[in-house]
């Protein structure tokens, strides 16, 4: 389709890529996007080139992937189609410094579009009476083990150690995780992978000195094992029970994975 054209609107060193929605073959679309993108970035010395497409436009998605555009976000129900249906809009962009070809270009694009899971790291501590340390947050009813979400580029072990310092001022070395659990979607959270470490038994002087250091924590509590189900979610209770019973390994939704046969 020789009359198909891609437009670029330029403001300063930023461009916006767009084209009229019409039926066009994949090869033509990709070639037009590639030529327009290369010309805009090189000839106009753009720092950034953005393209917003309906999430339902698979052909545009593939063309942008092949032309080195990274997905940066999703605008929910942002576009009203002629049919009257609302669809999401995907935001893509290519920076002048982005690798486009070869393994770096491919992996950069795939890293932006493939699913990503949260990683969480928590630690189980006991006192000399066998009570378990829980934190009471300011934003939800159930209590939690100390720990939290691991930062990008941070290992679960180091993330757990950082969270302990930030939440309760405790700095200790951690070894291998006791449990590695898949957590299904919960409340408005997507699913996640959680690493749970066994922090062992804390000496009485250390246990009694622990107090909240984070403004998101209202208090810390030492809870008898038999009272844990009243304070934590069902999932958390299952995992803590497994750890306290001496199980070590991988679980799904806080349950041991049955062996075949």
């Amino acid at each position: 389709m020789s009359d198909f054209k891609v437009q670029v609107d330029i403001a300063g060193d930023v461009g916006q890529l767009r084209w009229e929605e019409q039926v066009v073959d994949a090869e033509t679309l990709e070639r037009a996007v590639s030529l327009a993108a290369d010309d805009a970035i090189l000839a106009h010395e753009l720092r950034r080139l953005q393209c917003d497409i309906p999430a339902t436009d698979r052909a545009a998605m593939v063309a942008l992937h092949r032309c080195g555009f990274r997905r940066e976000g999703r605008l929910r129900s942002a576009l009203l189609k002629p049919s009257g249906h609302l669809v999401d809009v995907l935001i893509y962009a290519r920076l002048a410094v982005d690798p486009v070809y070869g393994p770096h270009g491919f992996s950069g694009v795939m890293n932006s579009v493939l699913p990503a899971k949260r990683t969480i790291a928590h630690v189980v501590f006991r006192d000399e009476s066998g009570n378990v340390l829980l934190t009471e947050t300011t934003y939800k009813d159930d209590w939690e083990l100390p720990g939290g979400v691991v930062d990008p580029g941070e290992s679960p072990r180091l993330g757990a150690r950082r969270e302990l310092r930030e939440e309760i001022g405790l700095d200790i070395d951690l070894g291998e995780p006791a449990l590695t659990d898949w957590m299904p979607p919960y409340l408005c959270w997507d699913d996640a992978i959680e690493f749970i470490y066994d922090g062992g038994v804390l000496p009485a002087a250390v246990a009694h000195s622990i107090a909240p250091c984070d403004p998101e924590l209202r208090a810390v509590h030492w809870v008898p094992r038999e009272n844990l189900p009243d304070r934590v979610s069902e999932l958390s209770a299952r995992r803590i029970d497994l750890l306290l019973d001496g199980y070590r390994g991988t679980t799904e939704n806080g349950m041991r994975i049955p062996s075949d046969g």
Side-chain angles (χ1 to χ4, degrees):
M1 190 170 181
S2 58
D3 60 345
F4 178 75
K5 294 181 180 179
V6 173
Q7 305 293 325
V8 181
D9 301 321
I10 297 176
D13 60 354
V14 176
Q16 183 78 31
L17 204 68
R18 61 181 177 84
W19 59 87
E20 295 297 327
E21 188 173 352
Q22 55 185 289
V23 177
V24 62
D25 65 272
E27 183 179 351
T28 298
L29 177 58
E30 181 183 339
R31 187 170 185 273
V33 169
S34 179
L35 290 173
D38 289 346
D39 178 71
I41 290 174
L42 295 175
H44 297 276
E45 298 183 344
L46 296 186
R47 171 181 55 85
R48 171 185 173 84
L49 184 59
Q50 181 172 320
C51 185
D52 303 342
I53 63 170
T56 52
D57 193 341
R58 177 70 181 173
M61 202 180 304
V62 171
L64 290 170
H65 293 172
R66 291 178 175 173
C67 294
F69 282 74
R70 273 71 161 165
R71 186 184 299 173
E72 294 185 340
R74 177 186 290 264
L75 304 177
R76 296 176 299 152
S77 297
L79 179 64
L80 181 63
K81 301 287 283 184
S83 64
H85 292 94
L86 286 167
V87 299
D88 293 354
V89 170
L90 301 180
I91 302 172
Y92 278 86
R94 178 173 143 190
L95 304 184
V97 296
D98 284 339
V100 177
Y101 305 106
H104 287 88
F106 175 81
S107 60
V109 171
M110 290 298 99
N111 187 60
S112 75
V113 299
L114 291 176
K117 290 186 185 294
R118 282 177 302 121
T119 301
I120 305 170
H122 282 125
V123 185
V124 175
F125 291 109
R126 280 92 72 204
D127 65 11
E128 293 177 348
S129 299
N131 301 312
V132 175
L133 178 64
L134 296 179
T135 61
E136 180 183 356
T137 68
T138 59
Y139 52 84
K140 64 177 182 176
D141 294 331
D142 57 289
W143 296 354
E144 268 286 6
L145 295 168
V149 176
V150 178
D151 287 340
E154 183 179 53
S155 75
R157 182 178 60 84
L158 293 180
R161 187 173 182 179
R162 173 185 53 76
E163 286 283 343
L164 292 179
R165 290 195 302 267
E166 294 174 357
E167 288 188 342
I168 57 176
L170 188 62
D171 188 10
I172 66 167
D173 290 325
L174 297 169
E176 296 180 357
L179 296 177
T180 302
D181 186 59
W182 171 76
M183 182 172 69
Y186 176 66
L187 299 177
C188 285
W189 293 106
D190 292 333
D191 65 332
I193 300 297
E194 183 155 356
F195 294 81
I196 304 178
Y197 295 84
D198 186 352
V201 177
L202 296 179
V206 175
H208 294 158
S209 69
I210 290 178
C213 299
D214 190 317
E216 291 186 349
L217 295 188
R218 181 177 288 115
V220 297
H221 306 273
W222 289 100
V223 180
R225 180 174 182 176
E226 60 271 20
N227 294 342
L228 290 173
D230 299 326
R231 294 299 185 182
V232 300
S233 67
E234 292 183 14
L235 169 58
S236 186
R238 288 196 296 271
R239 294 190 296 206
I240 296 173
D241 271 344
L242 284 172
L243 187 147
L244 294 180
D245 286 339
Y247 178 74
R248 299 292 184 269
T250 303
T251 55
E252 292 183 357
N253 196 19
M255 293 180 282
R256 297 177 66 166
I257 303 171
S259 58
D260 295 337

